[in-house]
Amino acid sequence: MNIILFGPPGAGKGTQAKRLQKSRGLIQLSTGDMLRAAVAAGTEYGKKAKEIMEKGELVPDEVVINIISDRLEEDDVKNAPGVIFDGFPRTVAQAEALDKMLAEKGMKLDAVIVLDVDDDALVERITGRFTCAKCGKGYHEKFERPKVEGVCDECGSTEFTRRADDNEETVRQRLEAYHAQTAPLIEYYEKAGIVKRVDGMASIDEVTRQIEQVLDSLS
Ligand code: AMP
């Protein structure tokens, strides 16, 4: 089963993808995570992507298309029961490239799950978030603090990181890019008849429940 988790930055795509990875063995393919890893490793395209990401703009289509195409060839992905695209595709050109790639590999998309959220909530959600530096568990200053202050619930680490692009100015630019370039994809997938909507303003557990319900209806 292959799905796209779709929605603006801060909608909860990454949080939900990690939960589905655990519950169903699907593999999360986050182009944002892959680009951040390339930035951290200082690779050639990482250097180019860094500036663009810090401005909140989209990196060129061919860069992310190549990253995804390479990743789909790796054994863990090939052997998994399916994948969750998180943050990809973000433009019509990327969606068309994905269709082509999947057809070539004999794969198909089962659903595009749209997390419906109000724009107003997103800036607060994003600017408050932080992550365990060791295991990657996500937290939020207001909505999901660690049970013991300064200690990760999952792995006990005391180091946390924040994304360089999670500041208010960049978030506004990312939202603009979403509305101009990415939101039109909903119509693209409506035509394919695979769009399913969930209430992204509900609690994290409730959103998971709604997504699981959609996935159960597919299998
Ligand atoms: P994300 O972690 O999905 O919020 O992505 C962080 C940043 O990485 C975005 O603001 C873009 O600059 C870049 N990025 C991630 N995925 C894509 C994509 N599919 N197309 C273009 N740029 C992307």
Side-chain angles (χ1 to χ4, degrees):
M1 171 188 301
N2 304 303
I3 62 167
I4 295 177
L5 278 185
F6 195 94
K13 303 185 294 293
T15 303
Q16 297 297 335
K18 286 195 175 61
R19 288 182 164 209
L20 296 177
Q21 189 158 262
K22 260 194 195 158
S23 67
R24 302 208 175 219
L26 302 172
I27 294 197
Q28 176 192 14
L29 301 181
S30 156
T31 40
D33 284 352
M34 295 178 208
L35 288 165
R36 279 183 288 281
V39 170
T43 66
E44 207 45 53
Y45 76 76
K47 282 180 198 151
K48 283 187 200 135
K50 184 171 189 279
E51 260 179 55
I52 299 172
M53 291 167 78
E54 279 173 2
K55 280 194 270 181
E57 294 169 4
L58 296 186
V59 305
D61 288 333
E62 64 271 19
V63 173
V64 284
I65 291 167
N66 285 335
I67 294 180
I68 286 289
S69 172
D70 289 350
R71 187 73 184 92
L72 289 174
E73 286 304 312
E74 288 175 24
D75 284 344
D76 62 330
V77 173
K78 281 185 170 168
N79 297 331
V83 296
I84 308 158
F85 294 100
D86 161 10
F88 179 89
R90 262 175 155 100
T91 64
V92 172
Q94 291 178 25
E96 288 170 349
L98 179 61
D99 282 347
K100 202 163 153 249
M101 257 186 267
L102 293 177
E104 279 167 9
K105 294 177 203 302
M107 296 166 72
K108 74 172 177 78
L109 275 178
D110 296 285
V112 175
I113 300 178
V114 177
L115 303 179
D116 279 319
V117 277
D118 301 337
D119 255 20
D120 292 346
L122 296 174
V123 177
E124 188 184 30
R125 277 197 188 183
I126 297 177
T127 53
R129 67 188 182 182
F130 60 99
T131 307
C132 171
K134 195 167 161 209
C135 73
K137 172 156 174 46
Y139 294 95
H140 192 281
E141 280 166 5
K142 201 160 152 189
F143 309 120
E144 206 189 353
R145 303 186 68 89
K147 291 190 184 79
V148 177
E149 193 64 35
V151 182
C152 176
D153 299 347
E154 298 264 311
C155 75
S157 167
T158 51
E159 275 186 50
F160 297 88
T161 56
R162 278 176 192 265
R163 281 172 46 170
D165 60 350
D166 277 353
N167 59 77
E168 186 160 345
E169 196 189 331
T170 310
V171 170
R172 296 208 182 273
Q173 178 55 46
R174 285 159 62 199
L175 286 174
E176 221 175 285
Y178 172 79
H179 287 296
Q181 291 163 278
T182 308
L185 282 182
I186 297 178
E187 203 180 316
Y188 178 93
Y189 288 116
E190 292 271 17
K191 284 187 191 138
I194 53 172
V195 172
K196 312 276 175 191
R197 290 182 177 268
V198 304
D199 176 11
M201 295 303 291
S203 68
I204 296 177
D205 286 347
E206 171 59 17
V207 176
T208 305
R209 198 191 63 75
Q210 290 186 19
I211 295 175
E212 292 280 5
Q213 207 170 38
V214 169
L215 299 188
D216 285 342
S217 76
L218 298 172
S219 49

